[in-house]
Amino acid sequence: MSAKPSRLPTSGVYSEGSIRVLKGLEPVRQRPGMYTRTDNPLHITQEVLDNAADEALAGYGKKIKVTLHIDGSVSVEDDGRGIPFGMHPEEKAPVIELVFTRLHAGGKFDKGQGGAYSFSGGLHGVGVSVTNALTTRLEATSHREGQLARLVFSGGAVIEPLRTRPLASGERRQGTTVRLWPDAQYFESCALPMGPLCQLLRSKAVLMPGLCVSLLNEKTRDTQTWQYQGGLRDYLAQNLSADPVIPLFEGAAFADGSHESFAEGEGAAWCLAFTEDGPPIRESYVNLIPTSAGGTHESGLRDGLFNAVKSFIELHSLLPKGVKLLPEDMFARASYVLSAKVLDPQFQGQIKERLNSRDAVRLVSGFVRPALELWLNQHVEYGKKLAELAIKAAQTRQKAGQKVEKRKGSGVAVLPGKLTDCESRDTAHNEVFLVEGDSAGGSAKMGRDKESQAILPLRGKVLNTWEVERDRLFANNEIHDISVAIGVDPHGPDDRPDLTGLRYGKVCILSDADVDGAHIQVLLLTLFFRHFPQLIATGHIYVARPPLFRVDVPARGKKPAAKMYALDAGELAAILDKCAKEGLAREKCQISRFKGLGEMNAEQLWETTLNPDTRRLLPVQLGALDFSATEGLITKLMGKGEAAARRELMELHGDAVEIDI
């Protein structure tokens, strides 16, 4: 039976001519939100500022000046080397023009020999070309090698071609000036927020002692200047709202040329303070880029701090009986400024607010832990005060967990025999993984953190419960075990169930990264949406995303051999592209596809899927549709009498699906 023509839209013909190829900077102008923040032009200004800071980081600049002009434009001036303006050997265009007009052009792609920067603020293939695309006018001036070069753009296109002239006797000898006029059609407001701008400029001065950063506002004629000779310590001490319990712990460590795992220069500088009250100050940076959402370098700091203090406590036998320390007990009262240097940082999102590089956990932790252990053992009294603070936090947390336990009463059902429970009773910290199959469950049991992670293996496909009556649910053993394990009874959307019996703060669906795994995931999501909706509403349901591919990358230069994981074909292509840029032929990278979780050993499963620092865990919540609209859509997908509706959906959207055979 063919689809009825009357159901098809009469306007719009889908043919070869329907496909539009966006060229140059068109993609940025079409979908600016994919590349930058559109509430104001702070991020596109930051892209220019980051380039100036990268010159200072590379040791070629000592001043950065930002000017807010009366006409609404912004200029950033540095005394670095100046952007090269000679002809590119392959592209046959001035290099300065390519930097501002190509999404994949810059001096940061080639690390080591041939590249302009050893360390820089990340690689997304965007940068100042996005700034150029979203401005009505951009003027770029470069002072370099005794000459001044200037060109002007509008909306990303050159409107005044490159002109050069010799430098006059009174002009500065080197550096770059970029002046930009943000295009109002792309931003909710064209005004730069002064608070975040000042914080951004101040952070550059904090992270590079001796760098002078200034801001001139032509309207108010105010000038602010930041310069910190004392670096991180001065900055953190000035901003603490309470006196620290022990003196600030400051340190810095970087890999040398003989380091086994990391390239020369990779490492971190940090300053830690511990207070009993007041809001903690927590700021982190990667290659001078502020990472407001944290990331793996912060996880490394937490890991190094926890292990160093735990080691000190064990060495001096300070832990009271029955108290178990967790990383958050150490971290709860910690304030810090962390500045990491990573050779090839991988960020989440185009605005680089979170670092995703897995190696950064090991990098920062490996330098922080020994330095802090040495300091604590050299200052035993300070170490004991810090241990006391952490132990007090652990005792408070455990008492809170015990109160919740008592409220459950004595009528708790017997837990399922196949549940491998965790040791902790702290609901906020505990997690249970609903794992597909016994073999995957076995790897998960061996690879998990037994303190806080529980495993419940599920045998076979879970029942489609969309049209199952609530009082018949427990006839199915798997659903009975899920309900008893999590400690919450089935309920409806308008019910107010008793969630005090909830045994885990996170209920995580963990299935294979293939079609069968997706089917099991859908069946479990159907169960929770239909019969445990309050768990979704209160943010307790998650989906774990195991990788589909593993790439064994051989050693390249100073970087050792590594195992990389990709969630899908897109991430696999990105990994291979990155290797190719590093001069590694694709055929030298060995690609393995996981047929299922059962193929992973315990260590791989921990590293990719269970470790809170490196895993991908997606919270389940309502999307663009409200509850009733979502309910109607799932009825079409999961209802027994909805075959016609499902066929209509497939006819409408079937061409958008990528089939994995």
Side-chain angles (χ1 to χ4, degrees):
M1 185 186 292
S2 60
K4 295 179 181 177
S6 59
R7 290 183 181 271
L8 296 172
T10 53
S11 63
V13 177
Y14 182 45
S15 66
E16 287 79 1
S18 308
I19 303 301
R20 182 180 171 195
V21 179
L22 298 177
K23 297 179 180 178
L25 297 178
E26 274 188 278
V28 184
R29 295 166 66 81
Q30 286 282 334
R31 295 287 186 271
M34 289 175 61
Y35 297 86
T36 187
R37 292 178 58 169
T38 54
D39 47 352
N40 59 64
L42 179 63
H43 180 246
I44 66 166
T45 305
Q46 184 185 331
E47 288 289 355
V48 182
L49 181 65
D50 287 345
N51 284 356
D54 283 336
E55 277 293 283
L57 181 63
Y60 296 100
K62 293 183 178 178
K63 292 180 183 178
I64 297 175
K65 181 181 178 182
V66 178
T67 305
L68 306 180
H69 298 281
I70 293 174
D71 62 1
S73 63
V74 187
S75 63
V76 179
E77 181 182 320
D78 68 59
D79 59 348
R81 290 169 288 184
I83 301 174
F85 44 80
M87 296 297 283
H88 190 276
E90 295 169 8
E91 299 294 332
K92 308 304 180 189
V95 169
I96 192 169
E97 181 182 323
L98 295 175
V99 166
F100 285 94
T101 57
R102 298 283 180 92
L103 284 175
H104 300 274
K108 304 172 191 176
F109 292 94
D110 298 320
K111 304 299 182 182
Q113 291 185 347
Y117 301 90
S118 291
F119 294 92
S120 58
L123 291 173
H124 286 267
V126 287
V128 288
S129 54
V130 169
T131 304
N132 193 17
L134 304 180
T135 52
T136 56
R137 181 180 177 88
L138 185 145
E139 298 174 356
T141 309
S142 176
H143 299 74
R144 180 183 172 92
E145 296 171 351
Q147 287 194 302
L148 182 147
R150 184 177 183 273
L151 74 168
V152 183
F153 307 88
S154 178
V158 178
I159 58 169
E160 292 182 25
L162 180 70
R163 290 184 181 177
T164 61
R165 64 169 173 80
L167 287 171
S169 58
E171 289 183 298
R172 63 192 173 109
R173 307 313 298 168
Q174 62 179 36
T176 302
T177 302
V178 176
R179 185 170 177 177
L180 57 112
W181 285 257
D183 192 334
Q185 68 175 308
Y186 298 113
F187 302 99
E188 294 168 24
S189 166
C190 268
L192 284 171
M194 292 304 293
L197 175 63
C198 289
Q199 185 179 6
L200 182 65
L201 296 176
R202 182 179 59 190
S203 71
K204 303 297 184 191
V206 169
L207 298 173
M208 286 186 287
L211 176 69
C212 182
V213 182
S214 62
L215 172 64
L216 168 63
N217 188 331
E218 287 186 346
K219 285 183 183 177
T220 61
R221 297 185 180 178
D222 289 338
T223 302
Q224 290 175 270
T225 302
W226 296 273
Q227 191 170 26
Y228 293 88
Q229 298 297 347
L232 306 186
R233 174 182 284 272
D234 283 2
Y235 175 67
L236 187 58
Q238 287 175 24
N239 288 280
L240 285 175
S241 59
D243 291 334
V245 176
I246 62 173
L248 274 59
F249 170 63
E250 185 181 26
F254 301 94
D256 57 23
S258 60
H259 200 283
E260 293 179 0
S261 302
F262 298 104
E264 185 175 359
E266 286 192 292
W270 64 86
C271 189
L272 282 159
F274 300 92
T275 54
E276 286 189 303
D277 46 30
I281 293 164
R282 293 176 179 175
E283 293 185 17
S284 63
Y285 305 85
V286 175
N287 301 353
L288 307 190
I289 301 292
T291 42
S292 57
T296 48
H297 55 324
E298 286 194 9
S299 297
L301 180 68
R302 183 178 63 184
D303 184 69
L305 170 63
F306 173 64
N307 285 306
V309 178
K310 186 181 176 187
S311 171
F312 177 85
I313 288 171
E314 288 172 354
L315 180 66
H316 294 274
S317 304
L318 300 174
L319 192 65
K321 191 175 180 181
V323 176
K324 286 191 174 178
L325 288 174
L326 296 177
E328 58 261 37
D329 301 326
M330 311 290 184
F331 224 54
R333 299 308 317 157
S335 291
Y336 59 82
V337 184
L338 170 67
S339 176
K341 285 175 80 173
V342 180
L343 187 64
D344 194 5
Q346 303 298 313
F347 291 97
Q348 174 179 300
Q350 302 293 4
I351 62 173
K352 306 172 188 173
E353 62 185 0
R354 178 181 172 83
L355 181 70
N356 273 357
S357 306
R358 288 180 190 270
D359 286 346
V361 178
R362 198 161 45 89
L363 172 71
V364 177
S365 176
F367 285 129
V368 169
R369 178 180 178 175
L372 184 54
E373 279 181 351
L374 179 63
W375 188 82
L376 291 173
N377 287 303
Q378 287 174 339
H379 305 85
V380 174
E381 288 307 310
Y382 295 149
K384 287 181 177 177
K385 283 186 179 180
L386 181 55
E388 187 183 325
L389 199 67
I391 290 166
K392 187 178 173 183
Q395 289 170 328
T396 304
R397 173 181 51 77
Q398 285 182 317
K399 282 179 184 175
Q402 286 165 359
K403 286 177 187 174
V404 173
E405 191 69 29
K406 286 176 184 172
R407 284 202 300 270
K408 293 179 183 175
S410 58
V412 177
V414 177
L415 293 173
K418 59 186 178 179
L419 172 71
T420 303
D421 208 358
C422 54
E423 295 175 359
S424 169
R425 291 292 169 265
D426 180 4
T427 306
H429 187 64
N430 289 355
E431 305 170 340
V432 63
F433 287 83
L434 309 179
V435 184
E436 170 191 351
D438 286 337
S439 59
S443 292
K445 286 174 194 174
M446 289 187 288
R448 72 190 174 118
D449 175 5
K450 64 179 181 180
E451 169 66 29
S452 60
Q453 293 179 332
I455 306 296
L456 181 64
L458 302 175
R459 296 185 179 94
K461 294 271 171 72
V462 180
L463 181 71
N464 179 0
T465 56
W466 190 247
E467 294 176 359
V468 176
E469 293 295 328
R470 200 154 292 133
D471 58 359
R472 295 292 302 155
L473 278 177
F474 284 168
N476 182 276
N477 287 333
E478 301 298 309
I479 294 167
H480 172 270
D481 287 351
I482 291 171
S483 178
V484 172
I486 63 180
V488 175
D489 290 333
H491 52 269
D494 299 320
D495 297 341
R496 291 290 173 263
D498 179 13
L499 296 184
T500 58
L502 182 66
R503 303 182 67 249
Y504 306 96
K506 289 186 174 73
V507 179
C508 311
I509 300 167
L510 175 53
S511 59
D512 292 348
D514 58 12
V515 175
D516 278 343
H519 187 199
I520 289 170
Q521 194 181 108
V522 166
L523 291 168
L524 284 169
L525 288 172
T526 301
L527 168 67
F528 288 121
F529 182 80
R530 178 57 114 190
H531 298 292
F532 298 88
Q534 287 302 320
L535 290 181
I536 292 177
T538 50
H540 291 293
I541 306 298
Y542 290 78
V543 173
R545 299 197 67 196
L548 190 57
F549 299 98
R550 186 184 89 187
V551 184
D552 291 299
V553 181
R556 55 248 188 257
K558 291 182 180 178
K559 299 188 85 169
K563 291 181 174 63
M564 297 183 181
Y565 299 91
L567 289 183
D568 50 34
E571 285 198 2
L572 176 64
I575 289 172
L576 294 175
D577 284 346
K578 180 185 166 190
C579 291
K581 285 174 185 171
E582 292 177 349
L584 197 63
R586 295 193 177 205
E587 55 268 23
K588 290 186 179 178
C589 299
Q590 187 178 342
I591 302 167
S592 311
R593 176 176 169 134
F594 293 109
K595 292 179 182 174
L597 293 169
E599 281 194 351
M600 289 191 189
N601 59 38
E603 186 181 352
Q604 289 172 333
L605 196 57
W606 165 255
E607 184 185 353
T608 61
T609 316
L610 299 177
N611 184 350
D613 292 331
T614 53
R615 70 190 179 190
R616 315 274 186 99
L617 198 61
L618 300 179
V620 176
Q621 54 198 25
L622 289 179
L625 304 178
D626 60 16
F627 187 92
S628 59
T630 304
E631 192 175 35
L633 183 59
I634 297 182
T635 299
K636 283 185 183 179
L637 296 170
M638 305 302 291
K640 289 180 182 174
E642 297 290 329
R646 280 195 285 275
R647 173 171 182 151
E648 184 179 350
L649 280 172
M650 283 187 269
E651 287 171 349
L652 285 171
H653 304 294
D655 61 339
V657 176
E658 291 183 14
I659 300 175
D660 184 7
I661 300 175

